[in-house]
Amino acid sequence: MTLPYIDLLLKQIARGHPELERSFGRHIHWGYWPDPAAADPTSAADYGQAAEGLSLELIALADIRPGMRVLDAGCGFGGTMACLDEQVGGLDLVGLNIDPRQLARGASLAHPGPGGRMTFVAADACTLPFADASFDRVMAVECIFHFPSRAAFLAEVRRVLRPGGVLVLSDFVPAPAWVPVTRLARSPWFDRVNLFGSCDVTCSAAGYRRLAAAAGLPVTVLRDITRHTLPTYAFLGQMLKASGRRGVAERWGKAGLAMLDFVGRTGLLRYSLLRFERA
Ligand SMILES: C[S@@+](CC[C@H](N)C(=O)[O-])C[C@H]1O[C@@H](n2cnc3c(N)ncnc32)[C@H](O)[C@@H]1O
């Protein structure tokens, strides 16, 4: 399965696109601005720093220490792994992705520091090719909504985590009143016309707590950080304008971004960080 936005990103990067390299060349996720009012939507460097900021928030939540073995599921270009190697160091890092093209770029960018190790594995996050109890931490940055099943992923993470192990992830979590609307958006037709491909954002906070308890991996932190991610939409709007797209593509793009901004601001869809702990 390939995702349209990833195809587009890889194509543009291969053609040579310095702005895209700076903004999405290392991380393929939303930005985190500690002070959203200070964001500069015209600056790719500002966006790249905010994308790094999101990885740092999740790394802090995961409480990762030197010597640990860490799995980054849905690792993209390995940006969170690189950030972990630079910030913590001395880690055995494994990046997993369903798309070998992203892993090849991740491997070419990976330069682990002294005592650090990085390996890249092509597989589906819902069938992890690893032994039971073989990781201290698992991360899944802004990707679980693409996985075939949250329940299957959580069960696999529970299996590969050592006792006391931790999973952290980020996801778009709908308010209870918005869940029926997110279910309406689950259709093969919408998956085909939508730049983001197949996305399941139907899991509410209560849904997460239920799934996690059933998997034996209870939720211990659920933090709504939407406010800190909102400048992402203004930046993507600038990128759309600069791309020269006109007509239907531009109108769809603008409408999609305005809708995401609206559901974020109104609390209908909450960009959230979650931590789960294996007893
Ligand atoms: C928004 S990107 C996030 C990438 C990376 N975590 C980051 O933050 O830079 C979503 C990622 O999920 C990956 N993905 C989608 N379905 C997957 C699956 N079933 N198993 C593993 N990775 C998957 C995609 O290939 C893509 O790299």
Side-chain angles (χ1 to χ4, degrees):
M1 177 211 51
T2 66
L3 297 163
Y5 69 98
I6 299 281
D7 294 345
L8 193 65
L9 183 57
L10 287 168
K11 201 160 92 187
Q12 297 286 350
I13 286 177
R15 278 188 188 153
H17 194 314
E19 295 288 280
L20 216 47
E21 276 280 355
R22 272 194 282 277
S23 49
F24 288 101
R26 171 157 148 132
H27 301 286
I28 320 171
H29 57 228
W30 276 194
Y32 177 95
W33 287 263
D35 176 9
D40 177 358
T42 63
S43 163
D46 182 63
Y47 190 86
Q49 202 183 329
E52 189 82 358
L54 185 81
S55 286
L56 289 171
E57 287 299 306
L58 276 159
I59 289 169
L61 185 62
D63 182 26
I64 295 172
R65 295 181 297 277
M68 286 185 167
R69 185 163 191 243
V70 181
L71 170 64
D72 185 7
C75 65
F77 298 145
T80 296
M81 295 162 69
C83 187
L84 266 169
D85 184 69
E86 290 155 13
Q87 297 295 323
V88 182
L91 296 167
D92 182 1
L93 296 163
V94 180
L96 175 137
N97 205 295
I98 200 146
D99 180 354
R101 299 170 305 170
Q102 294 171 64
L103 294 172
R105 180 175 161 87
S108 75
L109 296 175
H111 305 292
R117 206 173 112 86
M118 287 189 202
T119 45
F120 293 88
V121 176
D124 183 339
C126 292
T127 43
L128 296 175
F130 307 114
D132 296 358
S134 53
F135 287 94
D136 301 291
R137 298 288 184 266
V138 177
M139 304 185 70
V141 186
E142 211 174 294
C143 47
I144 195 169
F145 45 80
H146 287 314
F147 296 171
S149 153
R150 281 186 180 78
F153 175 63
L154 292 176
E156 277 293 80
V157 172
R158 167 73 169 71
R159 182 181 68 74
V160 303
L161 272 179
R162 296 182 177 130
V166 168
L167 161 70
V168 296
L169 60 84
S170 61
D171 194 8
F172 298 89
V173 177
W178 197 245
V179 172
V181 180
T182 60
R183 288 205 185 111
L184 284 178
R186 297 289 301 137
S187 87
W189 173 84
F190 188 65
D191 289 355
R192 272 200 303 276
V193 298
N194 158 22
L195 180 67
F196 295 109
S198 173
C199 295
D200 175 348
V201 291
T202 61
C203 192
S204 65
Y208 257 117
R209 290 192 198 284
R210 263 197 308 275
L211 284 178
L217 207 60
V219 175
T220 54
V221 176
L222 197 159
R223 185 151 69 93
D224 176 359
I225 59 158
T226 313
R227 190 173 80 79
H228 298 280
T229 64
L230 289 174
T232 298
Y233 303 114
F235 178 71
L236 292 177
Q238 289 288 333
M239 295 279 289
L240 178 67
K241 203 164 145 194
S243 74
R245 283 170 183 260
R246 296 291 172 260
V248 178
E250 187 192 22
R251 282 200 292 278
W252 265 100
K254 272 187 175 168
L257 291 175
M259 202 269 289
L260 285 169
D261 187 77
F262 173 77
V263 294
R265 279 179 202 283
T266 51
L268 293 171
L269 196 61
R270 299 163 185 171
Y271 195 108
S272 304
L273 306 184
L274 292 96
R275 174 177 160 121
F276 308 73
E277 292 177 31
R278 185 201 192 286

